[in-house]
Amino acid sequence: MSASRDRSICLWNTMGTVDNLVVHKVDSHLGWVWDLGIYDDHHFLSCSWDSKVKLWNTGNFAQSSQPIYTFK
C-alpha cells in the first residue's frame, strides 16, 4: 500500500506486471495522506492533513471502499 499527496491510497500487486501493478486506488481524504499504519492482520490506518485518521479493512479494500471508522 502507498499513500500520496493526491489524497489517494493505492493497493499494489508487487507480483504483477508493469501494466497491472496498481490493484485499487481510493480517493481517501480531503488533504494529503501523510502516513499509513498497520492496525492488525486485517486493518490499517491512514492519516491526513484533513485532521482525520481513518480505519480501513484490507480484506475488502477496493476502488469503492469506505473507511470502517473516521477519527477526528
Side-chain angles (χ1 to χ4, degrees):
M1 296 201 146
S2 65
S4 177
R5 284 181 164 182
D6 72 358
R7 303 172 183 151
S8 69
I9 297 172
C10 289
L11 176 63
W12 297 82
N13 175 6
T14 59
M15 302 301 285
T17 63
V18 174
D19 296 331
N20 67 352
L21 285 177
V22 175
V23 177
H24 297 294
K25 182 176 180 179
V26 174
D27 293 328
S28 58
H29 285 273
L30 298 176
W32 295 358
V33 182
W34 53 270
D35 202 4
L36 295 173
I38 296 171
Y39 184 74
D40 62 22
D41 288 345
H42 304 287
H43 301 91
F44 71 95
L45 297 160
S46 61
C47 306
S48 171
W49 285 103
D50 65 6
S51 301
K52 293 187 173 100
V53 175
K54 295 184 178 185
L55 178 65
W56 302 85
N57 184 339
T58 55
N60 65 1
F61 190 76
Q63 291 173 332
S64 61
S65 289
Q66 296 296 313
I68 296 169
Y69 194 80
T70 300
F71 305 89
K72 295 181 182 181

